[in-house]
Structures are given as C-alpha cells and as structure tokens.
Amino acid sequence: MVALAFTLRVWSVNHGLPYVYNVDEELHYVPPATRVLGGTFHPESFINPAALTYFFSALFFVVYGGAGAALDAWNAHPDELYLAARLAVACIGTVGVWLVYLAGSRLFGRVAGLVAAA
C-alpha cells in the first residue's frame, strides 16, 4: 500500500514544469522559501502555514549545499526547486499513509489498517 501511495504521488510530479499552475505552490511555498534563504525570515503571508515554507528552505539549503547555491539554482532553473519541493511533499504524504496504516492496524486490526491506508 505504501509503495502504491508513493507511486501515485510521483506519477506526474513534474507536470507542467518549468511552468507552475498551482497558485499555492507559486505564491505561498517555493518563492517564499527562497526569500528565507536570502535572509527574509518573514513569509509575508500566513494564509497557509509557514512551517512547510521553512522546511523547503532547509531542504534547498541541504540539497544545494548552502543558501547561495540554492539561490543561484533558483535564478537559473526554478523548476528544479519546484520539483524538489514536490518530491518532498510526495514523501511526506507517503509517510502519512504509512502512519495511518500503523494506527489503524494497532487499534482495529490489520484489515482496518489497510482500509484506512487505502
């Protein structure tokens, strides 16, 4: 079930890139994460929770080996950062499916855990 969940999440993870059609992705997460790398720690919008924005900043910092390299990548190929963010969210969602399975199976049995994960 977990493998299926991950496969479905990454099936079209690069859809539309280098263009971004999702308003939340474009306005509330990835560009503000790059501004955090530039030293602006205020996300300027709290319509959506800021923890994911800060998580993306840390992810970009680690993946690209520092804030300067991540900002250079943002300026040269922003689609790479959008793809990294999408893959991270796919992994988070897959872990959520696994946790739901664990909770359902421990509380109500294995079949209930599989149904809950599905």
Side-chain angles (χ1 to χ4, degrees):
M1 189 61 63
V2 172
L4 177 63
F6 183 73
T7 302
L8 290 174
R9 281 169 172 73
V10 298
W11 183 277
S12 61
V13 74
N14 61 351
H15 172 73
L17 292 177
Y19 306 105
V20 179
Y21 300 106
N22 187 338
V23 175
D24 284 341
E25 184 180 29
E26 183 178 7
L27 298 178
H28 300 292
Y29 292 110
V30 177
T34 60
R35 287 194 294 273
V36 168
L37 289 170
T40 304
F41 294 104
H42 194 285
E44 299 175 11
S45 171
F46 290 100
I47 295 172
N48 293 314
L52 189 59
T53 301
Y54 295 131
F55 172 75
F56 287 157
S57 296
L59 175 72
F60 300 154
F61 186 89
V62 169
V63 168
Y64 289 98
L71 289 172
D72 290 343
W74 172 251
N75 291 327
H77 300 285
D79 55 317
E80 291 178 3
L81 277 77
Y82 282 109
L83 182 62
R86 289 178 182 183
L87 287 171
V89 169
C91 291
I92 291 169
T94 303
V95 169
V97 169
W98 177 64
L99 291 174
V100 166
Y101 165 75
L102 285 179
S105 64
R106 288 191 181 171
L107 292 173
F108 302 106
R110 209 176 144 125
V111 173
L114 285 173
V115 170

mmCIF file of all heavy atoms in Angstrom, residues 20 22-36 42-54 56-57 82:
data_model
loop_
_atom_site.group_PDB
_atom_site.id
_atom_site.type_symbol
_atom_site.label_atom_id
_atom_site.label_comp_id
_atom_site.label_asym_id
_atom_site.label_seq_id
_atom_site.Cartn_x
_atom_site.Cartn_y
_atom_site.Cartn_z
ATOM 1 N N VAL A 20 4.389 26.745 -13.517
ATOM 2 C CA VAL A 20 3.676 26.304 -12.328
ATOM 3 C C VAL A 20 2.247 26.805 -12.420
ATOM 4 O O VAL A 20 2.011 28.000 -12.592
ATOM 5 C CB VAL A 20 4.363 26.843 -11.051
ATOM 6 C CG1 VAL A 20 3.607 26.415 -9.826
ATOM 7 C CG2 VAL A 20 5.799 26.357 -10.995
ATOM 8 N N ASN A 22 -0.240 25.786 -10.066
ATOM 9 C CA ASN A 22 -0.874 25.771 -8.763
ATOM 10 C C ASN A 22 -0.547 27.075 -8.040
ATOM 11 O O ASN A 22 0.622 27.388 -7.796
ATOM 12 C CB ASN A 22 -0.378 24.569 -7.956
ATOM 13 C CG ASN A 22 -1.115 24.403 -6.660
ATOM 14 O OD1 ASN A 22 -1.707 25.335 -6.128
ATOM 15 N ND2 ASN A 22 -1.076 23.195 -6.126
ATOM 16 N N VAL A 23 -1.573 27.817 -7.677
ATOM 17 C CA VAL A 23 -1.380 29.138 -7.063
ATOM 18 C C VAL A 23 -0.673 29.023 -5.717
ATOM 19 O O VAL A 23 0.226 29.807 -5.421
ATOM 20 C CB VAL A 23 -2.741 29.851 -6.907
ATOM 21 C CG1 VAL A 23 -2.579 31.152 -6.161
ATOM 22 C CG2 VAL A 23 -3.359 30.082 -8.264
ATOM 23 N N ASP A 24 -1.058 28.056 -4.896
ATOM 24 C CA ASP A 24 -0.410 27.908 -3.593
ATOM 25 C C ASP A 24 1.077 27.612 -3.743
ATOM 26 O O ASP A 24 1.902 28.164 -3.035
ATOM 27 C CB ASP A 24 -1.064 26.791 -2.782
ATOM 28 C CG ASP A 24 -2.386 27.211 -2.193
ATOM 29 O OD1 ASP A 24 -2.626 28.426 -2.103
ATOM 30 O OD2 ASP A 24 -3.181 26.331 -1.825
ATOM 31 N N GLU A 25 1.393 26.730 -4.664
ATOM 32 C CA GLU A 25 2.790 26.364 -4.880
ATOM 33 C C GLU A 25 3.617 27.568 -5.323
ATOM 34 O O GLU A 25 4.735 27.775 -4.866
ATOM 35 C CB GLU A 25 2.838 25.265 -5.947
ATOM 36 C CG GLU A 25 4.189 24.701 -6.215
ATOM 37 C CD GLU A 25 4.143 23.621 -7.270
ATOM 38 O OE1 GLU A 25 3.263 23.649 -8.158
ATOM 39 O OE2 GLU A 25 5.013 22.746 -7.219
ATOM 40 N N GLU A 26 3.036 28.378 -6.167
ATOM 41 C CA GLU A 26 3.768 29.511 -6.723
ATOM 42 C C GLU A 26 3.844 30.695 -5.765
ATOM 43 O O GLU A 26 4.868 31.367 -5.687
ATOM 44 C CB GLU A 26 3.117 29.962 -8.029
ATOM 45 C CG GLU A 26 3.861 31.077 -8.697
ATOM 46 C CD GLU A 26 3.236 31.486 -10.014
ATOM 47 O OE1 GLU A 26 2.148 30.996 -10.346
ATOM 48 O OE2 GLU A 26 3.839 32.308 -10.693
ATOM 49 N N LEU A 27 2.782 30.961 -5.035
ATOM 50 C CA LEU A 27 2.750 32.176 -4.219
ATOM 51 C C LEU A 27 3.099 31.968 -2.754
ATOM 52 O O LEU A 27 3.590 32.897 -2.103
ATOM 53 C CB LEU A 27 1.370 32.825 -4.315
ATOM 54 C CG LEU A 27 0.942 33.299 -5.698
ATOM 55 C CD1 LEU A 27 -0.460 33.873 -5.646
ATOM 56 C CD2 LEU A 27 1.920 34.312 -6.246
ATOM 57 N N HIS A 28 2.832 30.785 -2.201
ATOM 58 C CA HIS A 28 2.923 30.627 -0.755
ATOM 59 C C HIS A 28 4.045 29.721 -0.272
ATOM 60 O O HIS A 28 4.315 29.691 0.925
ATOM 61 C CB HIS A 28 1.607 30.082 -0.200
ATOM 62 C CG HIS A 28 0.447 30.969 -0.470
ATOM 63 N ND1 HIS A 28 0.306 32.198 0.124
ATOM 64 C CD2 HIS A 28 -0.609 30.828 -1.300
ATOM 65 C CE1 HIS A 28 -0.805 32.775 -0.320
ATOM 66 N NE2 HIS A 28 -1.372 31.956 -1.185
ATOM 67 N N TYR A 29 4.688 28.958 -1.158
ATOM 68 C CA TYR A 29 5.658 27.994 -0.651
ATOM 69 C C TYR A 29 7.060 28.150 -1.219
ATOM 70 O O TYR A 29 7.976 28.507 -0.503
ATOM 71 C CB TYR A 29 5.140 26.561 -0.846
ATOM 72 C CG TYR A 29 3.955 26.283 0.013
ATOM 73 C CD1 TYR A 29 2.695 26.123 -0.526
ATOM 74 C CD2 TYR A 29 4.080 26.225 1.391
ATOM 75 C CE1 TYR A 29 1.602 25.890 0.286
ATOM 76 C CE2 TYR A 29 2.993 26.004 2.215
ATOM 77 C CZ TYR A 29 1.751 25.830 1.649
ATOM 78 O OH TYR A 29 0.674 25.610 2.451
ATOM 79 N N VAL A 30 7.254 27.866 -2.482
ATOM 80 C CA VAL A 30 8.623 27.810 -3.013
ATOM 81 C C VAL A 30 9.280 29.193 -3.111
ATOM 82 O O VAL A 30 10.392 29.373 -2.603
ATOM 83 C CB VAL A 30 8.659 27.038 -4.349
ATOM 84 C CG1 VAL A 30 10.049 27.034 -4.934
ATOM 85 C CG2 VAL A 30 8.171 25.608 -4.132
ATOM 86 N N PRO A 31 8.667 30.202 -3.740
ATOM 87 C CA PRO A 31 9.333 31.518 -3.751
ATOM 88 C C PRO A 31 9.584 32.106 -2.359
ATOM 89 O O PRO A 31 10.675 32.622 -2.109
ATOM 90 C CB PRO A 31 8.382 32.389 -4.577
ATOM 91 C CG PRO A 31 7.705 31.432 -5.483
ATOM 92 C CD PRO A 31 7.504 30.202 -4.635
ATOM 93 N N PRO A 32 8.618 32.016 -1.412
ATOM 94 C CA PRO A 32 8.953 32.499 -0.069
ATOM 95 C C PRO A 32 10.084 31.700 0.582
ATOM 96 O O PRO A 32 10.863 32.253 1.351
ATOM 97 C CB PRO A 32 7.652 32.339 0.720
ATOM 98 C CG PRO A 32 6.585 32.416 -0.309
ATOM 99 C CD PRO A 32 7.169 31.740 -1.515
ATOM 100 N N ALA A 33 10.201 30.414 0.257
ATOM 101 C CA ALA A 33 11.305 29.619 0.801
ATOM 102 C C ALA A 33 12.640 30.139 0.296
ATOM 103 O O ALA A 33 13.622 30.153 1.036
ATOM 104 C CB ALA A 33 11.124 28.149 0.425
ATOM 105 N N THR A 34 12.668 30.598 -0.941
ATOM 106 C CA THR A 34 13.918 31.163 -1.453
ATOM 107 C C THR A 34 14.202 32.530 -0.817
ATOM 108 O O THR A 34 15.362 32.878 -0.615
ATOM 109 C CB THR A 34 13.891 31.288 -2.984
ATOM 110 O OG1 THR A 34 12.827 32.135 -3.384
ATOM 111 C CG2 THR A 34 13.760 29.930 -3.638
ATOM 112 N N ARG A 35 13.150 33.275 -0.490
ATOM 113 C CA ARG A 35 13.374 34.554 0.198
ATOM 114 C C ARG A 35 13.942 34.317 1.594
ATOM 115 O O ARG A 35 14.742 35.114 2.087
ATOM 116 C CB ARG A 35 12.078 35.358 0.252
ATOM 117 C CG ARG A 35 11.690 35.949 -1.091
ATOM 118 C CD ARG A 35 10.617 37.001 -0.960
ATOM 119 N NE ARG A 35 9.337 36.492 -0.494
ATOM 120 C CZ ARG A 35 8.387 35.988 -1.277
ATOM 121 N NH1 ARG A 35 8.568 35.911 -2.580
ATOM 122 N NH2 ARG A 35 7.249 35.572 -0.765
ATOM 123 N N VAL A 36 13.529 33.210 2.229
ATOM 124 C CA VAL A 36 14.098 32.870 3.536
ATOM 125 C C VAL A 36 15.593 32.604 3.386
ATOM 126 O O VAL A 36 16.393 33.020 4.223
ATOM 127 C CB VAL A 36 13.363 31.658 4.150
ATOM 128 C CG1 VAL A 36 14.109 31.110 5.354
ATOM 129 C CG2 VAL A 36 11.945 32.038 4.536
ATOM 130 N N HIS A 42 10.477 36.336 7.285
ATOM 131 C CA HIS A 42 9.033 36.528 7.398
ATOM 132 C C HIS A 42 8.394 36.102 6.081
ATOM 133 O O HIS A 42 8.702 36.671 5.029
ATOM 134 C CB HIS A 42 8.713 38.000 7.681
ATOM 135 C CG HIS A 42 7.314 38.226 8.123
ATOM 136 N ND1 HIS A 42 6.248 38.175 7.264
ATOM 137 C CD2 HIS A 42 6.800 38.481 9.343
ATOM 138 C CE1 HIS A 42 5.138 38.409 7.932
ATOM 139 N NE2 HIS A 42 5.451 38.592 9.195
ATOM 140 N N PRO A 43 7.498 35.116 6.089
ATOM 141 C CA PRO A 43 6.936 34.622 4.835
ATOM 142 C C PRO A 43 5.980 35.586 4.152
ATOM 143 O O PRO A 43 5.541 35.319 3.037
ATOM 144 C CB PRO A 43 6.222 33.336 5.247
ATOM 145 C CG PRO A 43 5.933 33.500 6.682
ATOM 146 C CD PRO A 43 7.018 34.364 7.241
ATOM 147 N N GLU A 44 5.651 36.705 4.781
ATOM 148 C CA GLU A 44 4.794 37.752 4.222
ATOM 149 C C GLU A 44 3.339 37.339 4.052
ATOM 150 O O GLU A 44 2.532 38.135 3.640
ATOM 151 C CB GLU A 44 5.345 38.254 2.883
ATOM 152 C CG GLU A 44 6.716 38.856 2.990
ATOM 153 C CD GLU A 44 7.306 39.238 1.652
ATOM 154 O OE1 GLU A 44 6.580 39.231 0.647
ATOM 155 O OE2 GLU A 44 8.499 39.546 1.618
ATOM 156 N N SER A 45 3.016 36.113 4.328
ATOM 157 C CA SER A 45 1.643 35.657 4.207
ATOM 158 C C SER A 45 1.434 34.491 5.162
ATOM 159 O O SER A 45 2.250 33.571 5.197
ATOM 160 C CB SER A 45 1.344 35.205 2.779
ATOM 161 O OG SER A 45 0.088 34.586 2.725
ATOM 162 N N PHE A 46 0.363 34.554 5.910
ATOM 163 C CA PHE A 46 0.045 33.448 6.803
ATOM 164 C C PHE A 46 -1.294 32.825 6.413
ATOM 165 O O PHE A 46 -1.988 32.264 7.250
ATOM 166 C CB PHE A 46 0.047 33.920 8.255
ATOM 167 C CG PHE A 46 1.423 34.254 8.742
ATOM 168 C CD1 PHE A 46 1.850 35.561 8.792
ATOM 169 C CD2 PHE A 46 2.304 33.255 9.105
ATOM 170 C CE1 PHE A 46 3.130 35.881 9.222
ATOM 171 C CE2 PHE A 46 3.584 33.552 9.535
ATOM 172 C CZ PHE A 46 3.994 34.871 9.604
ATOM 173 N N ILE A 47 -1.633 32.923 5.126
ATOM 174 C CA ILE A 47 -2.831 32.259 4.631
ATOM 175 C C ILE A 47 -2.661 30.753 4.765
ATOM 176 O O ILE A 47 -3.572 30.043 5.155
ATOM 177 C CB ILE A 47 -3.110 32.663 3.166
ATOM 178 C CG1 ILE A 47 -3.442 34.142 3.098
ATOM 179 C CG2 ILE A 47 -4.217 31.818 2.567
ATOM 180 C CD1 ILE A 47 -3.544 34.693 1.689
ATOM 181 N N ASN A 48 -1.464 30.274 4.435
ATOM 182 C CA ASN A 48 -1.108 28.871 4.612
ATOM 183 C C ASN A 48 -0.047 28.793 5.702
ATOM 184 O O ASN A 48 0.720 29.728 5.893
ATOM 185 C CB ASN A 48 -0.555 28.291 3.305
ATOM 186 C CG ASN A 48 -1.618 28.226 2.235
ATOM 187 O OD1 ASN A 48 -2.729 27.790 2.485
ATOM 188 N ND2 ASN A 48 -1.291 28.668 1.042
ATOM 189 N N PRO A 49 0.012 27.674 6.416
ATOM 190 C CA PRO A 49 1.017 27.557 7.479
ATOM 191 C C PRO A 49 2.436 27.732 6.947
ATOM 192 O O PRO A 49 2.775 27.256 5.870
ATOM 193 C CB PRO A 49 0.806 26.137 8.007
ATOM 194 C CG PRO A 49 -0.593 25.789 7.619
ATOM 195 C CD PRO A 49 -0.857 26.508 6.333
ATOM 196 N N ALA A 50 3.265 28.397 7.710
ATOM 197 C CA ALA A 50 4.618 28.730 7.260
ATOM 198 C C ALA A 50 5.615 27.605 7.484
ATOM 199 O O ALA A 50 6.724 27.660 6.958
ATOM 200 C CB ALA A 50 5.097 29.990 7.967
ATOM 201 N N ALA A 51 5.270 26.573 8.233
ATOM 202 C CA ALA A 51 6.228 25.507 8.526
ATOM 203 C C ALA A 51 6.715 24.823 7.257
ATOM 204 O O ALA A 51 7.900 24.485 7.143
ATOM 205 C CB ALA A 51 5.614 24.485 9.475
ATOM 206 N N LEU A 52 5.846 24.616 6.285
ATOM 207 C CA LEU A 52 6.262 23.981 5.042
ATOM 208 C C LEU A 52 7.228 24.886 4.271
ATOM 209 O O LEU A 52 8.186 24.406 3.662
ATOM 210 C CB LEU A 52 5.058 23.614 4.181
ATOM 211 C CG LEU A 52 5.340 22.757 2.950
ATOM 212 C CD1 LEU A 52 5.982 21.433 3.338
ATOM 213 C CD2 LEU A 52 4.066 22.515 2.171
ATOM 214 N N THR A 53 7.009 26.169 4.310
ATOM 215 C CA THR A 53 7.927 27.112 3.672
ATOM 216 C C THR A 53 9.311 27.018 4.300
ATOM 217 O O THR A 53 10.324 26.959 3.601
ATOM 218 C CB THR A 53 7.389 28.549 3.795
ATOM 219 O OG1 THR A 53 6.110 28.613 3.189
ATOM 220 C CG2 THR A 53 8.320 29.546 3.132
ATOM 221 N N TYR A 54 9.366 26.988 5.625
ATOM 222 C CA TYR A 54 10.650 26.873 6.308
ATOM 223 C C TYR A 54 11.289 25.507 6.060
ATOM 224 O O TYR A 54 12.505 25.401 5.935
ATOM 225 C CB TYR A 54 10.493 27.132 7.803
ATOM 226 C CG TYR A 54 10.066 28.552 8.110
ATOM 227 C CD1 TYR A 54 9.012 28.808 8.968
ATOM 228 C CD2 TYR A 54 10.717 29.636 7.530
ATOM 229 C CE1 TYR A 54 8.624 30.098 9.249
ATOM 230 C CE2 TYR A 54 10.335 30.930 7.805
ATOM 231 C CZ TYR A 54 9.288 31.162 8.666
ATOM 232 O OH TYR A 54 8.906 32.445 8.933
ATOM 233 N N PHE A 56 10.970 23.775 3.285
ATOM 234 C CA PHE A 56 11.544 23.864 1.937
ATOM 235 C C PHE A 56 12.858 24.636 1.951
ATOM 236 O O PHE A 56 13.799 24.279 1.245
ATOM 237 C CB PHE A 56 10.569 24.523 0.961
ATOM 238 C CG PHE A 56 9.412 23.660 0.566
ATOM 239 C CD1 PHE A 56 8.246 24.236 0.107
ATOM 240 C CD2 PHE A 56 9.470 22.286 0.644
ATOM 241 C CE1 PHE A 56 7.170 23.455 -0.280
ATOM 242 C CE2 PHE A 56 8.402 21.491 0.271
ATOM 243 C CZ PHE A 56 7.246 22.078 -0.194
ATOM 244 N N SER A 57 12.940 25.690 2.737
ATOM 245 C CA SER A 57 14.192 26.456 2.838
ATOM 246 C C SER A 57 15.322 25.565 3.332
ATOM 247 O O SER A 57 16.427 25.575 2.776
ATOM 248 C CB SER A 57 14.033 27.640 3.783
ATOM 249 O OG SER A 57 13.105 28.545 3.276
ATOM 250 N N TYR A 82 11.084 23.601 -7.659
ATOM 251 C CA TYR A 82 9.691 23.160 -7.603
ATOM 252 C C TYR A 82 9.618 21.639 -7.592
ATOM 253 O O TYR A 82 8.818 21.045 -6.862
ATOM 254 C CB TYR A 82 8.894 23.710 -8.783
ATOM 255 C CG TYR A 82 8.497 25.145 -8.627
ATOM 256 C CD1 TYR A 82 9.078 26.145 -9.393
ATOM 257 C CD2 TYR A 82 7.521 25.523 -7.707
ATOM 258 C CE1 TYR A 82 8.717 27.469 -9.255
ATOM 259 C CE2 TYR A 82 7.148 26.845 -7.552
ATOM 260 C CZ TYR A 82 7.745 27.810 -8.327
ATOM 261 O OH TYR A 82 7.377 29.126 -8.181
#
